[in-house]
Amino acid sequence: MASGFRDKVAIVGMGCTRFGERWDLGADGLMVEAFAEALADAGIERDQIEAAWVGNALDDINVGNSALPAAHALRLNRVPVTRVENMCATGTEALRGAAYAVASGAVDIALAIGVEKLKDTGYGGLPLRTKGVQNDLWMPYGSAPGTFAQLAGAYAARHGIDAGDLKRAMAHVSWKSHQNGVHSPKAHLQKAVDIETILKAPLIADPLGLFDCCGVSDGAACAIVTTPEIAKALGKGNPVTIKAIQLCASNGWELQYGEWDGANVPNTRVAAGRAYAEAGIHDPRQSIDMTEVHDCFSITELVIMEDLGLSEEGRAPADILDGRYDRDGAIPCQLDGGLKCFGHPVGASGLRMAYEVYNQLQGRAGERQRGKVDVGLTHNLGGAPFNSVAAVAIFGRLD
């Protein structure tokens, strides 16, 4: 694997809205809120942005199927603006587009923004009307909790783990995120929840209980990227750079053959391996200081720890219960509370994760700050374990 654009792209500004039920703002207002923070952080003028990528997953109830609403809302000066969508990896896909543009030399400064406005519909979950003929063919009666509950059953079967032990490890995942979310003023949920409440919560899809599932929110997040040289000229002495962005899409193997037992997510393993190679990381357990991963369900985060190579096969439940991924653990996960506390405005989540890593790298995460952070990782998983898009991004400082 070539080094790709390692250290060729610097992040000079990021912004993130408060996530939640934002009755006060539409999708355009959310974009403006995130963009204003990023612009001020970067210390540039709007007219210096030469291209933009906007991520929005559910276009039929949001901004529509073009990028024009972003161009309008942000008053971008007649620059190329591209709308991207890749299920739950949409925000990272927008960042990938902007980063590629800068790394290639096509532009000097680019914008990535992700947005979703879901709560106005009145739906409790994702208001999916249809995702096309192929999706309707394979999943006519599918649900997100149902498909990820299968991941839990398959994982327990492969590793011979008692259902009660797995349930307690899953509860710790949610408990840990709620503990962290208390310190996140932009999170949708900012309340600690005790383990017993999590364990006794109503079942949604066995073994997933209420607190094993993330909610749905409104929100937006964005990043302004440029070259390290321009970043330094803007006064960023040791800028945050992108070490790797890798994306892996399912090719249908998991759906069509019997070799996969459903106990992990192969796409995450492929994306992570490529990202580590691109970033020059040989031992992620020693190199990664923190992670923000796609905890749509507590079992997802648990399995991701092994798919990312941060826990040995079958050891994630024990590592979780030992506090390895707690705020003061070896590799803290979801220092801001994750999807569990922010909810999941699909197009914004990948960039929201990057926003937390960016602030941790600069030592400005407030009460959430994890001492000195040198390398942070984000992970998104779009779709279902058997038919997914996985994205892994790695961030650090230039020097």
Side-chain angles (χ1 to χ4, degrees), residues 5-26:
F5 55 75
R6 185 199 313 168
D7 287 334
K8 296 177 183 176
V9 180
I11 302 177
V12 291
M14 290 205 74
C16 181
T17 67
R18 175 178 60 80
F19 279 36
E21 299 182 47
R22 295 300 301 271
W23 308 117
D24 56 325
L25 294 175

Side-chain angles (χ1 to χ4, degrees), residues 53-96:
W53 278 259
V54 56
N56 177 257
L58 300 168
D59 61 312
D60 55 352
I61 61 163
N62 279 275
V63 301
N65 60 1
S66 81
L68 284 174
H72 294 176
L74 306 182
R75 295 293 190 265
L76 298 176
N77 191 24
R78 301 185 187 278
V79 301
V81 184
T82 302
R83 176 182 172 269
V84 297
E85 188 273 325
N86 223 340
M87 296 191 289
C88 302
T90 293
T92 303
E93 186 71 273
L95 179 60
R96 192 168 73 112

